[in-house]
């Protein structure tokens, strides 16, 4: 079953600090391993398939902020 985007956004936000650090230098995202472990991956190339589940890939901090604006309420 697919998680709602609001739940995915909340999961991504738990990695906000680490993700922003990586986004300062490269396209980065949050991925889920088969074990269920979530992690931040940097230097993510465009147009490629991934073995792990992709929760979100972002180009820069502004892209991440826009994602939060769409999927999270102002109270989050």
């Amino acid at each position: 079953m697919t998680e709602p985007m609001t739940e995915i956004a909340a999961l991504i936000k738990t990695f906000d600090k680490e993700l922003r650090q990586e986004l300062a230098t490269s396209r980065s995202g949050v991925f889920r391993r088969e074990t269920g472990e979530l992690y931040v991956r940097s230097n993510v190339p465009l147009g490629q398939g991934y073995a792990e589940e992709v929760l979100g890939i972002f180009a820069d901090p502004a892209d991440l902020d826009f994602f939060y604006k769409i999927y999270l309420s102002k109270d989050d």
Side-chain angles (χ1 to χ4, degrees):
M1 187 160 120
T2 305
E3 295 168 272
M5 286 303 295
T6 53
E7 288 180 25
I8 291 171
L11 285 173
I12 289 171
K13 191 156 187 164
T14 65
F15 291 89
D16 188 74
K17 184 178 179 180
E18 183 181 354
L19 190 53
R20 286 181 187 280
Q21 288 173 341
E22 297 301 332
L23 285 170
T25 59
S26 68
R27 179 180 306 277
S28 303
V30 177
F31 291 74
R32 185 184 342 239
R33 292 187 171 100
E34 287 184 21
T35 61
E37 177 189 8
L38 299 176
Y39 71 100
V40 172
R41 181 174 167 186
S42 60
N43 297 318
V44 177
L46 280 173
Q48 177 178 317
Y50 305 98
E52 298 91 2
E53 177 185 0
V54 177
L55 295 185
I57 297 174
F58 307 95
D60 54 35
D63 190 22
L64 180 61
D65 290 336
F66 185 68
F67 177 79
Y68 289 155
K69 184 178 180 178
I70 292 170
Y71 294 109
L72 293 178
S73 70
K74 299 226 185 258
D75 297 334
D76 292 337

